[in-house]
Amino acid sequence: MSRAEPSVAQEQSMALRSRADDFLHELMQTEASLEKIARKLELEFAERFSETGVNPLSLVKRIQKLQSELPELRNECQGLIQRKQVQ
């Protein structure tokens, strides 16, 4: 009994499977690289900002909150000024 040659569909399926395996391998390598970079950035961040006790992300969030509240405060102040002028 001789072994039958793989059909074109089987060859394409094997080639596709091989490319998928290669792609998954590349994704796993990329994920590992990104995790390494994230750890490095976290360490650098901790080293740089632990001494000052200042967290830049917290500062940015605080500034954004203040910016969102500013128009309301401006309107309240204008209302107070108008009421004072009327009295």
Side-chain angles (χ1 to χ4, degrees), residues 5 20 26 32-33 38 42 44 50 55-56 84 86:
E5 292 291 320
E26 288 293 323
S33 295
E42 287 171 0
E44 287 178 11
S50 65
N55 183 338
K84 287 280 188 179
V86 170

Side-chain angles (χ1 to χ4, degrees), residues 68-83:
S68 69
E69 294 173 350
L70 187 60
E72 183 180 338
L73 290 172
R74 185 179 298 130
N75 290 337
E76 286 180 24
C77 288
Q78 287 174 345
L80 287 171
I81 291 171
Q82 288 175 353
R83 278 186 258 147

Side-chain angles (χ1 to χ4, degrees), residues 20-86:
D21 288 343
D22 291 344
F23 180 68
L24 288 174
H25 180 71
E26 288 293 323
L27 283 176
M28 289 189 302
Q29 285 182 329
T30 302
E31 181 181 23
S33 295
L34 289 173
E35 287 174 357
K36 183 179 177 181
I37 291 168
R39 281 191 303 273
K40 183 177 179 181
L41 289 172
E42 287 171 0
L43 287 172
E44 287 178 11
F45 181 85
E47 287 174 3
R48 181 174 291 168
F49 297 107
S50 65
E51 295 171 6
T52 62
V54 176
N55 183 338
L57 184 58
S58 296
L59 289 176
V60 168
K61 287 181 179 180
R62 189 171 173 192
I63 289 170
Q64 288 173 340
K65 182 181 177 196
L66 291 171
Q67 286 175 332
S68 69
E69 294 173 350
L70 187 60
E72 183 180 338
L73 290 172
R74 185 179 298 130
N75 290 337
E76 286 180 24
C77 288
Q78 287 174 345
L80 287 171
I81 291 171
Q82 288 175 353
R83 278 186 258 147
K84 287 280 188 179
Q85 289 174 348
V86 170

